[in-house]
Amino acid sequence: MKSYSKKIKLKGIENQWHTIQLPNEVFQNMNSNLTDIRVFGVTAIDTIEAPYIHNTSKAIDANSFISFNLLNTVNNAKGYFYTYDVKEKETINEIKLSIKDTNFNWLITLEGSQNQQEWFTLLDDYRILSIMNDQTDYSFTTLKFSDTNFKFYRLLIKSPEKPNFESIEILKKAKKAPQYRDYTVRSFNVFQEEKNTIVNVNLKSRAPLNLLELSVDDKIDYYRPITIQYLVDSVKTDKGYHYNYRTMATRTLSSIEENSFQLPGTMAQKLRIIVSNNDNQPLKFSNISIKGYIHSLTTRFTEPATYFLVYGKTNDKAPNYDIVKTSISIPENISSLQFGDAINILKPKIETKKPLFENQWWLWSILGVIILLLGYFTIVMMKKEI
């Protein structure tokens, strides 16, 4: 335990299995990979290690692709109609369109029917688009809507020219939504630099970041490339501090999608968001929200002891536990443990031997004596030679 920097006493251990939900404060002292987490138990004669499974509250996808037939394709002054017959009556909530065309901006109407006589509107004037030029490469062609289970679906693309489809997928996107923990934004400031808008974000403490949400006040259409960076370190120079940032994600800020961006779980406290405006007016940002997955440890306790959550070791490797590799029956609804206060782990003092002569005058005196002796013997030898 003495090789780690922090420990927190665990309270309420009554069963073999418990959950430890990591509090925000521990991330400040953990390494970037979260591999320096241990659960140690202290007894009167020994220190034991309790194994755990590290869990995160990320989303769970379970997509089901639905078989369908294209019944007909017609067009009129409104645009191009496509009617699809779902082979089995299945619930769907998403249609993915892969379109070969580029640089389009089309409105779509999607309808559903059980008998092709009475149609019900699912989406109306829903926008799909593609922008490809020297500045932007962006497309949005996925139709998202509430769960429906019609037998027939009719798609109207309001385009004067026939779209060139590469493929189409009808699916039910079953997803267990992720759970997030909000991280307090201490401050954020916005300024303009040439044709870019720079947003600096300062969090209250360091944490693993998984979601960034931007609130844009402008009601116009916009499609802006953005780069999301995090502060790696800073160097003090004669002109002040120089900050080194590293890119964690590149995305597109768009008025037709939610400005919510997944991040790769990077440990950071300061962010910089660069919005490329090109020749457009800068956007106005009213709020920024930063979130992260909830990290928890499913832990097995086999011996009575006083247990601590221990962390804070820069180059520590991830533990290697059997319970991670094997199928173990874990009880449902296991209880979470409570925490004591985080305290520093005292390091043993390293005794350094004091130098023989702490005062430099002793060294100068010895050197003086040596010089005098060398001079005396030199003179004696010279006299003998004479």
Side-chain angles (χ1 to χ4, degrees):
M1 288 176 60
K2 291 180 180 179
S3 62
Y4 295 82
S5 63
K6 295 277 188 177
K7 65 179 180 180
I8 301 177
K9 186 176 181 180
L10 300 175
K11 301 179 180 180
I13 300 174
E14 298 176 349
N15 303 308
Q16 185 180 31
W17 292 94
H18 285 285
T19 296
I20 302 171
Q21 191 174 114
L22 300 181
N24 284 0
E25 63 187 277
V26 305
F27 299 125
Q28 185 68 31
N29 299 96
M30 284 186 180
N31 66 31
S32 298
N33 298 320
L34 302 182
T35 55
D36 56 335
I37 309 171
R38 299 293 186 274
V39 179
F40 286 128
V42 179
T43 68
I45 59 172
D46 197 7
T47 299
I48 55 179
E49 185 170 348
Y52 64 80
I53 301 172
H54 189 169
N55 306 301
T56 60
S57 58
K58 61 184 180 181
I60 299 176
D61 294 328
N63 297 338
S64 299
F65 292 89
I66 309 301
S67 300
F68 63 93
N69 291 321
L70 175 62
L71 294 182
N72 56 59
T73 302
V74 296
N75 69 290
N76 58 21
K78 293 182 179 180
Y80 288 82
F81 292 83
Y82 303 86
T83 304
Y84 302 97
D85 173 22
V86 177
K87 292 183 178 181
E88 297 182 5
K89 195 172 181 180
E90 294 280 356
T91 299
I92 72 169
N93 51 23
E94 191 170 295
I95 297 177
K96 289 186 176 181
L97 306 176
S98 294
I99 301 175
K100 296 180 181 179
D101 305 275
T102 58
N103 294 315
F104 59 81
N105 185 359
W106 299 328
L107 297 178
I108 276 183
T109 297
L110 178 65
E111 299 172 305
S113 174
Q114 301 293 4
N115 51 21
Q116 297 193 74
Q117 302 297 320
E118 185 179 15
W119 291 92
F120 299 90
T121 302
L122 305 177
L123 297 173
D124 189 26
D125 284 346
Y126 186 93
R127 178 174 292 178
I128 62 172
L129 60 85
S130 171
I131 303 173
M132 184 177 293
N133 53 42
D134 294 337
Q135 300 172 339
T136 304
D137 185 0
Y138 172 75
S139 65
F140 178 75
T141 57
T142 300
L143 314 184
K144 299 180 180 181
F145 45 91
S146 301
D147 290 355
T148 60
N149 60 351
F150 290 103
K151 173 65 175 171
F152 302 97
Y153 292 90
R154 185 167 64 186
L155 178 66
L156 166 61
I157 300 180
K158 300 176 183 179
S159 166
E161 299 178 356
K162 185 177 181 179
N164 294 308
F165 283 104
E166 187 171 14
S167 66
I168 181 171
E169 294 176 342
I170 298 178
L171 53 91
K172 178 181 181 181
K173 192 168 186 179
K175 176 185 282 189
K176 179 183 177 182
Q179 290 182 299
Y180 291 104
R181 173 181 289 161
D182 291 303
Y183 296 125
T184 303
V185 176
R186 177 174 289 170
S187 64
F188 78 91
N189 60 78
V190 183
F191 64 94
Q192 309 304 318
E193 187 177 90
E194 297 180 349
K195 293 186 177 183
N196 297 325
T197 298
I198 311 295
V199 184
N200 288 323
V201 185
N202 183 22
L203 300 178
K204 183 179 179 181
S205 61
R206 181 170 172 265
L209 311 181
N210 298 98
L211 187 70
L212 167 67
E213 295 177 333
L214 297 173
S215 297
V216 181
D217 290 344
D218 302 78
K219 303 304 178 183
I220 60 174
D221 289 337
Y222 54 85
Y223 315 97
R224 312 279 175 91
I226 70 168
T227 301
I228 305 169
Q229 301 178 330
Y230 69 99
L231 181 66
V232 179
D233 56 30
S234 59
V235 179
K236 189 174 183 180
T237 66
D238 295 337
K239 297 181 180 180
Y241 280 94
H242 174 72
Y243 297 99
N244 297 315
Y245 285 89
R246 185 175 297 164
T247 298
M248 71 167 80
T250 55
R251 301 287 187 267
T252 299
L253 197 66
S254 169
S255 56
I256 66 172
E257 293 186 81
E258 293 183 1
N259 290 318
S260 176
F261 306 102
Q262 290 290 327
L263 303 176
T266 305
M267 191 79 76
Q269 185 171 355
K270 294 180 183 292
L271 299 181
R272 182 171 66 182
I273 304 163
I274 304 173
V275 183
S276 178
N277 298 314
N278 298 316
D279 296 321
N280 303 292
Q281 289 290 328
L283 299 173
K284 297 177 182 177
F285 298 95
S286 59
N287 188 45
I288 292 178
S289 175
I290 307 289
K291 301 180 180 181
Y293 295 142
I294 298 171
H295 292 258
S296 61
L297 313 178
T298 302
T299 314
R300 184 180 65 190
F301 300 91
T302 57
E303 297 182 38
T306 302
Y307 284 93
F308 296 89
L309 176 68
V310 178
Y311 57 95
K313 188 176 180 179
T314 304
N315 298 317
D316 204 15
K317 295 181 179 179
N320 188 357
Y321 298 132
D322 290 339
I323 63 173
V324 178
K325 303 175 183 178
T326 57
S327 299
I328 293 180
S329 179
I330 300 176
E332 295 182 1
N333 302 319
I334 58 179
S335 60
S336 297
L337 297 180
Q338 302 299 314
F339 300 100
D341 296 327
I343 58 176
N344 295 322
I345 296 177
L346 298 178
K347 306 293 188 222
K349 292 184 178 181
I350 300 175
E351 294 185 1
T352 57
K353 294 184 179 180
K354 295 182 179 181
L356 181 61
F357 301 106
E358 292 184 345
N359 195 324
Q360 291 185 354
W361 287 108
W362 282 102
L363 296 176
W364 288 112
S365 300
I366 292 172
L367 287 174
V369 171
I370 293 173
I371 291 171
L372 290 174
L373 289 173
L374 289 173
Y376 170 76
F377 287 114
T378 301
I379 294 170
V380 170
M381 292 179 69
M382 289 175 66
K383 286 181 177 181
K384 287 181 178 180
E385 290 179 1
I386 293 171

